[in-house]
Amino acid sequence: MKEIAKSFEVAISKIDKENMIIEGVVYRPSKEFNKNGEPTDYKDSQDDWMTEEDVKKACHNFAKKLAITKGQVVDKQHNEKAGYGHVVENYIAKTDIPEIDAKAGDWCAAIEVTCEKTWKQVLKEEITGFSIGGKAVYVK
């Protein structure tokens, strides 16, 4: 059985200090699987994974949620309270984007941070990445 090549951390890859925008990969899908259907390339920091199709679906559902909530979705540390920023980009990478360490198929985003306290936490590296949150159903 092949070991997982690496666990992928969804770190903030780019910080635009002038415009208070952070950018990076939100989620990297698993693309390579063993005969038991377990990924052999990537898992997330909770040892979970999603296929490219599932990541694309999650990205698109997030975009729908943005429209329904008039953009009020950026929370902090999963506190489920909006008001920390605005999503200014939300997409599936069509090709590799070395500038933000994205690979084709990755879910990427850019967030304009609107909360001064949160921005200071980003600059102090107290907030270092993205998280999709959510709930999952495990299928065996």
Side-chain angles (χ1 to χ4, degrees), residues 44-116:
D44 64 27
S45 58
Q46 282 80 42
D47 208 32
D48 293 322
W49 56 275
M50 290 193 297
T51 64
E52 281 187 279
E53 181 181 320
D54 290 335
V55 171
K56 188 174 186 178
K57 192 181 302 180
C59 177
H60 292 176
N61 285 337
F62 182 73
K64 291 175 190 176
K65 184 177 179 181
L66 282 169
I68 292 166
T69 63
K70 298 181 182 174
Q72 296 297 309
V73 297
V74 179
D75 66 356
K76 182 165 71 172
Q77 309 294 73
H78 299 287
N79 68 1
E80 298 191 21
K81 296 178 184 173
Y84 297 94
H86 301 289
V87 178
V88 293
E89 294 182 41
N90 179 59
Y91 60 95
I92 299 295
K94 303 295 184 207
T95 186
D96 292 357
I97 308 170
E99 182 180 13
I100 61 168
D101 192 29
K103 298 193 178 300
D106 286 357
W107 176 2
C108 304
I111 308 292
E112 177 186 359
V113 180
T114 57
C115 170
E116 193 63 41

Side-chain angles (χ1 to χ4, degrees), residues 111-125:
I111 308 292
E112 177 186 359
V113 180
T114 57
C115 170
E116 193 63 41
K117 181 178 179 183
T118 302
W119 181 247
K120 287 177 183 174
Q121 289 176 302
V122 168
L123 296 177
K124 289 182 192 174
E125 297 183 3

